[in-house]
Amino acid sequence: MKLKSFLLAATVTVTLFSCRDIREGTADYAIIPLPQHTEVTPQTEPFILDKGTVIVTPENDNEMKTIAGFLNAYINECTGYTLATSTEAIKNYITLNIDKSIKNPEGYRLAVSGDGITITGGSHAGVFYGVQTLRKASPVEASDKIAFQQTNIEDYPRLAYRGMHLDVGRHFFNVEQVKQYLDLMALHNLNVFHWHLTEDQGWRIEIKKYPLLTEIGSKRKESLRTDGVKGTDGKPYGGFYTQKDIQEIVKYAAERYIEVIPEIDLPGHIKSALAACPELGCTGGPYETAVEYGVHKDVLCVGSDKTLPFIKDVLTEVMQLFPSHYIHIGGDECPRDRWKECPKCQALIKAQGWKDTKQYEAEDKLQSYFMTEVEKFVEENGRRIIGWDEILAGGATPNATVMAWRNAEYGAEAAKKGYDVIMTPCGQLYFSAMDVLNLPGDNAIRKVYDFNPVLSDMTETDAAHIKGIQACLWSEDIETMEQIEYRLLPRLAALAEITWNGFDKQNRDYHEFALRMFNIIKRYDKYGLSYHKGAFEVTSDYENDTLNRKLSIRLNTLGNRKIYYTLDGSEPTEASQLYKEPFTINNNAILKAKVIMPGETDNSLVCDTICVNKATFCPVTLAGQPSPTYTYKGASILTDGLTGDTRYNTGRWLGFLCDLNATVDLGKETEVSSAAFRTDVAIGSAVMDITGMEVWCSADGKHFTKVAESSKPVLKKDDPDGIYRHELTFDTQQARYVRIVGKITPKLPSWHTWPGGDAFIFVDEIYVN
């Protein structure tokens, strides 16, 4: 493991340089996540941690001794020595203890006086998080002594569920790699590890009653290539965890106060189990463990009398291995194709009297029925189930907790129905998505940091059902620990901040957070971790000032580094304009900006083109609002002079689940003869094109005349993704107000992955000329 290897290196370093001058480091309490309340006492003598410092723990408290062991390891990281431990308080101490009056069990108080440091937790978990704070406040650089300014910290997490997910079904990660994953979580104060153990591409957990699940289901004949070349690699692939392995990992996690929630995905995403037990499928097979990713039609046969006993047997062994409050039973992306053709499934539908309704097909009731039966069994064993948001289809199981992955609106819908919710929307919190990671500069981090799981239309009662936030890491194209680290870091810092400190935008300052993130990145470097360095790039932040008809531009970068920029498209140099504060423009421009600092070799560059037409920088009103997940800066995006690329989730596009109905105020009567806008199409993601367009003109904003319209068919399955421009021309009009309507695809067509589901349109810029 990297962290353990580094500890060994630190010890060797101290031995090699034992004769050098004494080095003294200074603690810095500006850490991630930032404690809720920190009060530093100025003009006092700091506490000096040195070789004589003693860690004091309560007598006969073995759990506290384990925490003291972590503390000693962290101190060793920067000093190279190990502190003595004791059960008696003395001067020059770090004392660890518990005070049950601290209401939040994960809360703690950290007090630094001239004589020592005291960490008091509401439970052992609280002490552990206090130790994490001390660890991250300690200097990254090697030090013989550490000066801690006298201070009082009172801290606790805002969310009880602070999660991270790992898919080991597509690609298998061994025990040591999973432990490294847990170490990363502990560094960021995360406390729930969602372990996705079964998939179409591999069954990864030993079930003693069904040995074929791992003998057959853990293996596939080959894998899709991950090197950018299409096709498969022709190499057999496999791997699974023995029950002993799982017990070891659960214990390792518990020592770091991380709960492990196992997922057995049901009733879909289960071809690996069908390969081992073909009698559980609707057709009887033969089946193979899947090679291709995506949604597979072969699922568990709910109508078979063999299926439910099998699942109960599997979950019995799972619950014996995992002491978690929740058991995750999946529920996502389960096609109904086989059930519609299966005599056993149709017989069950007939026996239950289920009929198609406007909201659900009869086959949807099969999943609801099956999940409810599984829930009863799990609850009989003293546990609760959790599942992906599709468990709402057909009527959710009565007491399920819903994990909202498709978007935050599904979570809000579940909360309004009284279900507890864990928010993990793919647009913000799927860390495996490279299209998000490749957003310019720190925009990928901003998507996490700016995420608010409480939507604007939710009541306090609804909001109380939001129990936590989780990010997910799917492993289709991830095979190594370095790739895992690169996808997680430094976005994990933003996840830590919002799950620990909360997500109220009024109490958050991204630019202050960015400086603290710059510090934690130094720790990543110390540990030899791989991370996405795009966060160091310059980013541009635009505000469309529609009142003054101009664009305000703010440039950002991590740390106090110098940014130079140009507006004529030329390459910035040290002779170019030095960025000092936000500035404005009101005409065509090509902005280029980059950091130029001694020793900097990164030539990454902001490059944005601002194109002005008669609608640019004008106010816009919307008759129908965009989806809360894709609202970003609102209607002003449509006239800011900036266009998006094919990634609809960059903040340049507004995403609508209703018609676009935008009215632009040109400020005065103006000659107009054309209007246009652009849409971004990603059919597989339910992002469709418009089916019609209208243009209306008005002099007073009250009485509008339709001056042009057109229609177009719903996109076909084979139509290309990409950017579509829609323009209508008309006889010259004198108008102050121009209304542009883009008609949405009413429902996703029958050939789509989610037939009958809601369709998006994404719009980035309105043009009037």
Side-chain angles (χ1 to χ4, degrees), residues 12 19 74 113 138 167 206 210 232 236 262 278 354 373 463-464 481 512 544 594 639 668 703:
V12 172
C19 296
Y74 301 146
S113 69
S138 299
D167 164 27
E206 179 189 21
Y210 299 97
T232 56
W354 295 325
E373 291 300 307
M481 198 62 211
E512 181 273 334
N544 187 358
K594 70 176 182 179
T639 59
K668 61 181 180 180
H703 304 92

Side-chain angles (χ1 to χ4, degrees), residues 685-702:
S685 299
V687 179
M688 303 290 282
D689 197 17
I690 60 168
T691 56
M693 179 178 174
E694 298 174 357
V695 181
W696 300 68
C697 289
S698 170
D700 59 6
K702 297 178 181 178

Side-chain angles (χ1 to χ4, degrees), residues 41-217:
T41 306
Q43 298 177 342
T44 56
E45 288 296 319
F47 167 69
I48 305 298
L49 184 150
D50 57 23
K51 289 182 179 180
T53 303
V54 176
I55 299 176
V56 181
T57 61
E59 195 169 1
N60 300 322
D61 190 337
N62 291 330
E63 190 171 348
M64 196 70 83
K65 289 179 181 178
T66 299
I67 297 173
F70 282 117
L71 176 58
N72 236 333
Y74 301 146
I75 291 171
N76 183 278
E77 287 177 2
C78 55
T79 66
Y81 51 72
T82 300
L83 300 181
T85 59
S86 173
T87 58
E88 296 182 6
I90 56 175
K91 270 194 171 185
N92 196 3
Y93 58 81
I94 303 177
T95 298
L96 310 179
N97 53 44
I98 291 175
D99 181 352
K100 294 294 185 181
S101 69
I102 297 175
K103 293 181 180 180
N104 190 316
E106 292 181 301
Y108 67 90
R109 295 191 298 266
L110 191 157
V112 181
S113 69
D115 294 331
I117 300 172
T118 301
I119 299 175
T120 306
S123 70
H124 288 93
V127 177
F128 179 79
Y129 291 118
V131 165
Q132 293 302 314
T133 292
L134 199 65
R135 168 197 191 182
K136 286 178 276 193
S138 299
V140 172
E141 300 79 12
S143 306
D144 299 294
K145 296 181 178 183
I146 305 173
F148 289 88
Q149 185 63 49
Q150 293 191 37
T151 189
N152 285 290
I153 293 175
E154 293 188 16
D155 196 17
Y156 59 91
R158 293 293 176 91
L159 290 176
Y161 186 114
R162 307 181 300 282
M164 195 64 222
H165 153 287
L166 179 64
D167 164 27
V168 296
R170 276 79 173 204
H171 281 99
F172 176 74
F173 299 96
N174 63 36
V175 171
E176 288 304 304
Q177 289 171 319
V178 174
K179 287 181 178 179
Q180 288 181 59
Y181 200 85
L182 293 166
D183 286 337
L184 286 175
M185 290 180 60
L187 177 64
H188 294 85
N189 290 25
L190 302 178
N191 68 344
V192 180
F193 175 46
H194 173 182
W195 203 3
H196 188 82
L197 288 162
T198 65
E199 254 304 334
D200 292 308
Q201 293 77 25
W203 184 281
R204 305 296 180 207
I205 176 173
E206 179 189 21
I207 302 297
K208 293 187 181 294
K209 189 167 184 177
Y210 299 97
L212 292 181
L213 286 173
T214 46
E215 289 178 20
I216 295 175

